[in-house]
Amino acid sequence: MPYEWTSARVDSDAGAELHLWPYRSLPKRGFVIFIGLTAGFLLLPLLAVVGSLVLWGLLPFLILAVAGVWWGLGRSYRDGELVEALTLTRDRIELVRQNPRGPRQSWEANPYWVQVRIHPHDGPVPDYLTLKGGDREVEIGSFLTPEERRALYGELHDALRQVR
């Protein structure tokens, strides 16, 4: 799952911390292999025109194609650097979201009054998961799959119950 509890005991004085991140289907090693194979397959037809002026006419377009794939995958990786951290203690719950190209967002409340809500059909994604505390309701894990959000809902509900 693309989230983990770094501290298992919610009822301890140190509290618990939950880290969430988007799933990456292509690891860094796969990125290198994909770019290498793409470049190789695009350069393969150039073997037929080696030594002619046609090679120099086609080469810039093939280089642009590989550069475009490289840039697109790199942009996807930078967008995936989103991290959400939830810190839960007896006195306070804090959610911090570090956006890849935006400001850091944070929210905190007293865990006694916080409600974990799941919205099966009313949110922007299926099984939309939110935390409501005070006058604000914030989303958590919107990049997770619906199954992962349902599992996280149960874990958050249990964690808050332990704190109370």
Side-chain angles (χ1 to χ4, degrees):
M1 291 231 189
Y3 68 86
E4 70 176 346
W5 289 93
T6 57
S7 185
R9 296 207 26 101
V10 176
D11 56 353
S12 69
D13 289 335
E17 195 164 326
L18 172 70
H19 292 268
L20 301 101
W21 59 91
Y23 178 74
R24 292 189 186 266
S25 60
L26 183 66
K28 290 286 188 182
R29 184 168 186 252
F31 173 83
V32 171
I33 291 170
F34 181 77
I35 291 294
L37 287 174
T38 301
F41 285 133
L42 287 175
L43 292 175
L44 192 62
L46 290 182
L47 292 176
V49 292
V50 169
S52 70
L53 289 177
V54 175
L55 171 72
W56 298 107
L58 293 175
L59 193 58
F61 296 104
L62 296 178
I63 290 172
L64 279 174
V66 172
V69 170
W70 184 293
W71 179 84
L73 288 175
R75 172 75 185 255
S76 173
Y77 269 98
R78 286 188 301 278
D79 288 348
E81 291 173 353
L82 168 77
V83 175
E84 291 181 356
L86 178 83
T87 307
L88 180 59
T89 62
R90 292 180 186 179
D91 303 344
R92 183 175 69 112
I93 182 171
E94 179 182 24
L95 178 64
V96 176
R97 179 182 174 118
Q98 184 59 51
N99 295 308
R101 289 186 319 268
R104 179 176 174 247
Q105 298 171 302
S106 65
W107 167 85
E108 65 180 52
N110 184 333
Y112 186 80
W113 302 107
V114 172
Q115 298 174 340
V116 182
R117 295 181 175 179
I118 193 160
H119 308 275
H121 306 292
D122 298 337
V125 293
D127 295 322
Y128 187 59
L129 187 60
T130 62
L131 297 171
K132 180 165 176 49
D135 59 344
R136 229 171 118 195
E137 189 168 8
V138 294
E139 70 180 357
I140 182 168
S142 62
F143 45 79
L144 300 174
T145 65
E147 295 81 21
E148 291 167 341
R149 282 191 292 274
R150 284 191 295 270
L152 182 59
Y153 169 75
E155 292 177 24
L156 286 172
H157 195 273
D158 292 343
L160 283 171
R161 190 176 49 216
Q162 287 178 9
V163 168
R164 295 180 190 139

